Amino acid sequence: MTRLPRLLAFIAACTISALAIAQSQDPPATAEAAEAVETPAPQAEQDAPAADPAGESTGKPSSKPYVDLRRAKPIAGNAAAGQAKSELCAACHGPQGISPVPTFPNLAGQRADFLYWQLVEFKRNPDSPMSPLVAELSNQDMLDFAAYYAGLAPTATPAEPDADVEAEAAPADATLARRGEQIYMSGDPSRGIPPCQGCHGPDAGGHVNALHADRDGHAPYAAYPALRGQQAIYLQTKLAEYRNGKMRDSTTDFVMTGVGERLDDDSIDALSAWLSSLPPGP
Ligand code: HEC
Ligand code: HEC
């Protein structure tokens, strides 16, 4: 873990430049995009992820401003190959996919399709702290990492937490967590917040139809992530990013942005407290 302080400094530098870039961009056209999600894709169906989602053969990202996951097909990677390449990832995501730092997401047991498409988005979009780390990855590498981390038991023992960061993470308050559970299950009609369970599952393990492909082989809900047992600070950061319209790299980003825009700080804290208090895994 001696490399961790340097990595944290690196992340901080990346985040600051990412914020600067984000501020210089126009606000996202979320309303239009969210509407597009409701209607079938007019353009040619995307045979994801086979072809060239990250634009590798051309050397530049696809001309589309965002990844269209409405007709994505389920992914398949080689978990053993992913494990063999995972040493660098372990520094931040833990040797078993459980992050030692509450600002970095746990990956163990996450939906493979979600992991894969996040990596594709990091590759297309230079704004994330992950972007420099995925620059050299091939499409096969990303498929393999997704298969590897999705297959890890999410109950794996967390790595030794970093003492400094742990001190900042407030213990989940029971009242706050109960409020979070209530919003998760029933939404908050007064703010127009829909129940989270409709998309992330009653057990917060991902969409209930995640594994159901339709007769054309499309699995539109495969990339709806599991949330249970995720790191609290990571959840807070992510929800704030959706709320601020920072996430605009895929059709699924637009779906979640429509929800995030309705959250206030209190609901974000409550939801993060409850979700992170759940034991990971199904
Ligand atoms: C320097 C620390 C660091 C290293 C090394 C690192 N990551 Fe990450 N990773 C992060 C951070 C921070 C995020 C959150 C990024 C964001 O939200 O924009 C993240 C996010 C992710 C996500 C998205 C998870 C989610 O829930 O949205 C995946 C997948 C991922 N990393 C995979 C990898 C893989 C595979 C490797 C090795 C090739 C790796 N990471 C190496 C810090 C790191
Ligand atoms: C209409 C469907 C829908 C609803 C309702 C919904 N979500 Fe999401 N959520 C998504 C999708 C799709 C994604 C994946 C977005 C992406 O690709 O980054 C997502 C992503 C997330 C993430 C990021 C996870 C990660 O590891 O990066 C969090 C956190 C989250 N949602 C929390 C919530 C909470 C809390 C609620 C309830 C207030 C909620 N969601 C309601 C569809 C939904």
Side-chain angles (χ1 to χ4, degrees):
M1 275 301 136
T2 50
R3 282 191 293 166
L4 199 53
R6 252 190 300 143
L7 288 168
L8 288 169
F10 167 72
I11 282 288
C14 292
T15 309
I16 289 163
S17 54
L19 284 173
I21 294 166
Q23 278 164 5
S24 66
Q25 288 175 342
D26 296 324
T30 31
E32 277 160 52
E35 198 177 294
V37 172
E38 307 297 329
T39 48
Q43 62 277 75
E45 95 180 23
Q46 180 176 359
D47 269 350
D52 190 21
E56 275 161 13
S57 57
T58 55
K60 51 183 175 194
S62 126
S63 56
K64 256 198 182 176
Y66 56 84
V67 179
D68 189 343
L69 295 183
R70 289 170 291 179
R71 297 185 177 198
K73 293 192 169 168
I75 65 136
N78 179 331
Q83 176 171 25
K85 297 180 257 200
S86 66
E87 197 186 338
L88 166 67
C89 323
C92 293
H93 295 289
Q96 294 298 317
I98 301 290
S99 161
V101 184
T103 44
F104 298 164
N106 296 335
L107 305 180
Q110 181 55 276
R111 296 280 181 197
D113 298 75
F114 177 70
L115 295 172
Y116 169 75
W117 288 112
Q118 289 302 111
L119 292 172
V120 169
E121 288 171 37
F122 293 143
K123 205 170 164 113
R124 289 168 51 102
N125 172 353
D127 290 1
S128 167
M130 273 296 294
S131 301
L133 295 157
V134 295
E136 300 300 319
L137 299 184
S138 69
N139 192 45
Q140 189 62 47
D141 290 336
M142 298 191 287
L143 291 167
D144 295 345
F145 281 128
Y148 168 58
Y149 283 110
L152 284 181
T155 47
T157 319
E160 196 63 28
D162 191 69
D164 299 344
V165 191
E166 194 186 24
E168 288 167 23
D173 173 84
T175 320
L176 194 63
R178 266 199 303 279
R179 166 91 183 116
E181 177 175 18
Q182 188 188 17
I183 302 174
Y184 187 89
M185 293 300 179
S186 315
D188 182 347
S190 73
R191 300 187 60 86
I193 304 171
C196 319
Q197 62 156 327
C199 290
H200 293 285
D203 64 354
H207 198 287
V208 284
N209 288 327
L211 302 176
H212 294 191
D214 64 21
R215 62 199 156 98
D216 298 323
H218 303 134
Y221 302 116
Y224 281 40
L227 303 174
R228 57 181 301 129
Q230 187 51 277
Q231 303 280 350
I233 294 180
Y234 175 73
L235 289 169
Q236 286 170 347
T237 309
K238 214 69 206 173
L239 288 170
E241 284 179 3
Y242 292 111
R243 177 176 64 184
N244 299 339
K246 192 167 177 284
M247 304 293 292
R248 48 193 292 168
D249 301 321
S250 63
T251 47
T252 46
D253 281 346
F254 298 131
V255 172
M256 187 56 208
T257 296
V259 179
E261 282 169 340
R262 295 162 188 274
L263 301 175
D264 60 354
D265 287 344
D266 291 344
S267 8
I268 288 180
D269 289 352
L271 285 158
S272 304
W274 183 64
L275 288 166
S276 61
S277 76
L278 298 175

